[in-house]
Amino acid sequence: MRRLRLGTRLALGLGALALAVFAVVGTVMAERMQEFLERRLDAQMETTQVSVKKNLAATGTIKGAAYGWYSVVYDVRDGRAVPRNPDDQPADRDDMTDVALKVDGPEPVYWTDHLKGDGTYRLRGSPVSDGVVLVTAAPMNDITTTVRQLVLVEVIAFLLALTAFVVIGRAVLRRGLQPLSDMARTAHDITSHDLTDSARLPVRAEGGSGGVEVEELRSAFNTMLDHIDTSLAARTAAEQRLRRFIADASHELRTPLTSIRGYADLFRYAAANAPEEREAHLERLRSEAARMSVLLDDLLLLARLDSAEAETPLRVVDGDLAALALEAADAFRAAHPSRPLTLTVPDRPVRLGFDPLRLRQVVDNLLTNAAVHTPAGTSVSLSVSVEPRSAVLRVGDTGPGIPAADQARVFDRFYRVDDSRTRDRGGSGLGLAVAHSLVVAHGGAVDLTSRPGSTAVTVTLPRRPTSDGPCPHPR
């Protein structure tokens, strides 16, 4: 049975249940029909005995019995029954005598028995007068034949109905369960596809039949496929980012390592042949090592931000965003005196929860990025504004802008709009990526808008001050 399909098993189970129901119904019908026919025969026997008693009283003879019936008058004395008409008795007369002996009182006695040589008979004994009993025997062949024909008709009709029930039920069940087969084929089709680098499952379970339960299963199945699609897309994107990240990190680390190795060779040569150049080579070694240290620090910070669920790299306190912007502006003016900087902050403190060190790193990275990637003398702006549920920090410049094709990727790690210029200026392509990850870790968002003559990076932070205590900032 377990090897059969579900529709076949259900049809056979329903067929067995229907067979049991048919058997019960058929048995009850046959028994009720037999009881009905026996009651009719009892009524006929009562009528016949009334006629026989009249003839017996009028003529002293027994007449009026139907063909094939037996009617015998017994004189019952001292526990013995003696027939008056022994010639009108069946060969097996003991049963009729027993019935005559059982009559006691005015009530008739009924009995059904098999008379040898004659078949099954219905016996009725009723009193005629004191000590006189009339016993009539009526054949039950017609009743037996009728009940047998009824049982035969029931068996044939029930078998036909059962066959039709199983065949039609199996067809209906197969049609109703067809969506399950479709979903099974869909699952097999999915297993036949290579999903190693795929972000989209090529098949879905379609259809609109099968009932409410099948529709619920189909919806759950397709929802599961959509979830798998999303997971595959996320996994594929993560793997691609990881490959790109490893390639870029290897490339970035190889450059200072190559420089360090070259300067080390020059330092060894200078130590042996040109002592006056040793300090210059040593300083270059320190510079390349410092550059590698900054790169590794940025990579470590990004890794900690990526695993922020396990260990948050932020130490959030209640601070003043306007004071932080003022400090960043003062540091920018000191580092880039030739760059005009416009600072716009509210008169009142902008209180919210943030990590002062990391958010200052965000502002410094944005300002440095504006200075590095714009021509000399380009003006830079820094502003802080307050909205009902957030604080907005905006860094802009009036440079040539960022090409539209590059704007969607400027926050990617190791991405550079102008790779050659950025390398000459010492950039690693991680500044905006670090700024973006830090803002997201604060629960904020970063938006870039750029066109020729105007580029602005907008940082939106939620205003959720903490209760860790104030963090003073000099104004």
Side-chain angles (χ1 to χ4, degrees):
M1 286 292 292
R2 292 184 177 180
R3 295 183 178 180
L4 298 177
R5 298 184 67 86
L6 178 59
T8 302
R9 284 189 288 168
L10 288 175
L12 292 177
L14 292 175
L17 178 61
L19 180 61
V21 172
F22 290 162
V24 172
V25 172
T27 302
V28 171
M29 290 179 61
E31 290 179 351
R32 293 295 177 268
M33 176 61 71
Q34 184 167 356
E35 291 176 359
F36 171 75
L37 294 176
E38 286 180 356
R39 287 196 299 270
R40 290 190 60 183
L41 180 60
D42 291 345
Q44 291 178 5
M45 292 175 67
E46 182 180 3
T47 303
T48 299
Q49 283 191 341
V50 170
S51 176
V52 170
K53 289 178 181 180
K54 289 180 180 180
N55 290 331
L56 180 63
T59 64
T61 60
I62 298 176
K63 294 182 180 180
Y67 176 77
W69 290 35
Y70 297 102
S71 292
V72 181
V73 178
Y74 287 90
D75 291 321
V76 181
R77 295 287 186 276
D78 300 327
R80 296 180 59 190
V82 179
R84 291 184 180 180
N85 53 332
D87 297 335
D88 194 21
Q89 292 187 25
D92 186 6
R93 67 185 67 179
D94 294 339
D95 293 325
M96 297 185 69
T97 302
D98 292 340
V99 171
L101 292 173
K102 291 179 180 179
V103 176
D104 186 12
E107 296 298 327
V109 174
Y110 291 93
W111 189 260
T112 301
D113 205 345
H114 181 78
L115 303 182
K116 296 178 181 179
D118 291 303
T120 303
Y121 273 70
R122 182 73 168 169
L123 306 178
R124 184 179 192 272
S126 63
V128 176
S129 61
D130 187 19
V132 180
V133 176
L134 174 62
V135 178
T136 302
M140 298 185 66
N141 295 333
D142 293 341
I143 296 177
T144 303
T145 302
T146 302
V147 172
R148 287 178 179 176
Q149 290 178 351
L150 175 62
V151 171
L152 180 61
V153 170
E154 286 179 346
V155 169
I156 295 175
F158 288 167
L159 287 177
L160 292 176
L162 181 63
T163 303
F165 183 82
V166 172
V167 173
I168 298 175
R170 184 173 181 272
V172 172
L173 288 171
R174 175 176 291 183
R175 182 182 181 88
L177 296 176
Q178 184 63 36
L180 299 182
S181 300
D182 295 340
M183 281 183 272
R185 283 194 296 270
T186 299
H188 286 301
D189 290 341
I190 292 174
T191 59
S192 65
H193 288 79
D194 183 13
L195 303 178
T196 304
D197 295 322
S198 174
R200 175 69 182 174
L201 296 177
V203 289
R204 284 292 187 277
E206 303 295 343
S209 61
V212 177
E213 293 80 4
V214 175
E215 276 301 314
E216 291 177 352
L217 179 60
R218 182 187 292 111
S219 299
F221 186 77
N222 288 335
T223 301
M224 178 192 69
L225 294 182
D226 291 335
H227 178 70
I228 294 175
D229 275 343
T230 303
S231 301
L232 286 175
R235 186 196 69 179
T236 301
E239 290 178 351
Q240 291 176 351
R241 286 195 303 269
L242 180 61
R243 295 191 193 104
R244 187 166 59 248
F245 178 81
I246 293 175
D248 292 339
S250 301
H251 185 72
E252 289 296 330
L253 290 174
R254 183 175 58 187
T255 300
L257 284 174
T258 302
S259 300
I260 289 174
R261 185 169 55 189
Y263 287 132
D265 292 339
L266 290 176
F267 180 80
R268 184 175 59 181
Y269 174 80
N273 300 292
E276 67 279 1
E277 296 183 4
R278 286 184 301 177
E279 288 299 326
H281 296 318
L282 184 60
E283 183 61 30
R284 290 171 182 170
L285 281 171
R286 293 195 189 98
S287 176
E288 291 298 327
R291 177 183 173 189
M292 182 182 295
S293 177
V294 171
L295 176 61
L296 291 176
D297 288 342
D298 288 341
L299 290 175
L300 178 60
L301 176 60
L302 289 172
R304 293 181 63 193
L305 291 172
D306 288 341
S307 61
E309 293 182 359
E311 177 185 3
T312 175
L314 302 181
R315 297 179 179 178
V316 179
V317 297
D318 183 52
D320 182 5
L321 184 60
L324 184 142
L326 180 62
E327 293 175 358
D330 292 339
F332 180 79
R333 291 191 181 103
H336 305 276
S338 62
R339 294 276 181 173
L341 174 64
T342 303
L343 176 64
T344 305
V345 295
D347 295 334
R348 301 177 61 182
V350 181
R351 312 297 299 186
L352 71 154
F354 59 86
D355 184 333
L357 179 63
R358 295 306 183 186
L359 195 58
R360 172 64 186 276
Q361 184 178 359
V362 171
V363 180
D364 290 342
N365 283 358
L366 295 179
L367 290 173
T368 302
N369 187 75
V372 170
H373 296 284
T374 57
T378 301
S379 61
V380 179
S381 63
L382 173 62
S383 65
V384 175
S385 59
V386 180
E387 295 184 355
R389 296 185 179 181
S390 60
V392 178
L393 186 146
R394 184 176 288 103
V395 176
D397 63 69
T398 58
I402 301 174
D406 297 315
Q407 293 181 18
R409 297 189 58 193
V410 293
F411 295 107
D412 291 351
R413 299 171 188 182
F414 296 108
Y415 185 77
R416 304 178 183 85
V417 176
D418 188 345
D419 187 72
S420 60
R421 287 179 56 194
T422 304
R423 287 192 182 280
D424 293 340
R425 300 182 185 188
S428 63
L430 291 177
L432 290 180
V434 171
H436 179 270
S437 296
L438 286 173
V439 172
V440 172
H442 278 84
V446 183
D447 182 56
L448 170 71
T449 58
S450 182
R451 64 179 186 274
S454 176
T455 298
V457 179
T458 304
V459 176
T460 304
L461 298 171
R463 298 186 65 184
R464 295 193 299 266
T466 66
S467 57
D468 295 340
C471 180
H473 297 285
R475 297 296 300 266

